[in-house]
Amino acid sequence: IAQADNPKEQDVYDAALARFDRQLGEFLTWLDQNQSPDATAVAIAGTYGYDFAGGKRGVYLTEPSLHVPLVIRADPAKARFQ
């Protein structure tokens, strides 16, 4: 991840990522305790990355903005995608 021109902006972004990571962990723990892991696949994707160094807002085709967050959790031996 490129470093922000404004360190406070980077801190806010890092805090948001940490919060999302914590909440996702809590959600996956809840799923494990309340649902069958064999029957549940989870896929989460972001809309686009963020280019701190370029100072651009919105969607631009810069290298950092092309790195899209993606999280997938499924048992590949049991998951069937149609």
Side-chain angles (χ1 to χ4, degrees), residues 11-26:
D11 292 341
V12 170
Y13 184 81
D14 291 345
L17 285 178
R19 181 176 180 219
F20 171 77
D21 186 58
R22 186 173 51 258
Q23 290 176 331
L24 179 60
E26 291 171 3

